[in-house]
Amino acid sequence: MPKIKTNRSAAKRFKKTATGKIKRKKAYHSHILTKKSPKRKRNLRKSGLVSDVDAPRVKKMIPY
């Protein structure tokens, strides 16, 4: 069996945690920030987790 290639675009967007969950950045924090409240922008800084439904697909993209 050949090795599975890592999807490089996924590798740049997601990281695996020690428990095997997938970490991700939150959306809507790149531009048009003037109309967003400081509280909203502060909460967007934190990382989120990929939902349980999408996690198996992402795990296939970043196998190592």
Side-chain angles (χ1 to χ4, degrees):
M1 286 293 293
K3 288 183 177 180
I4 301 170
K5 278 192 176 180
T6 300
N7 182 310
R8 297 314 294 164
S9 62
K12 290 165 190 174
R13 288 170 173 81
F14 304 108
K15 296 281 176 260
K16 278 187 180 174
T17 63
T19 56
K21 293 179 181 175
I22 308 288
K23 257 181 17 174
R24 65 174 177 83
K25 296 274 190 197
K26 290 190 179 171
Y28 306 109
H29 193 58
S30 56
H31 59 86
I32 316 175
L33 298 172
T34 50
K35 62 174 82 168
K36 294 170 189 162
S37 70
K39 180 182 179 181
R40 185 173 164 196
K41 289 188 279 191
R42 190 165 58 245
N43 286 328
L44 287 171
R45 268 186 238 147
K46 301 169 186 173
S47 60
L49 292 174
V50 171
S51 69
D52 296 334
V53 178
D54 297 324
R57 266 186 304 204
V58 178
K59 282 180 183 174
K60 274 185 191 169
M61 289 192 262
I62 47 171
Y64 305 108

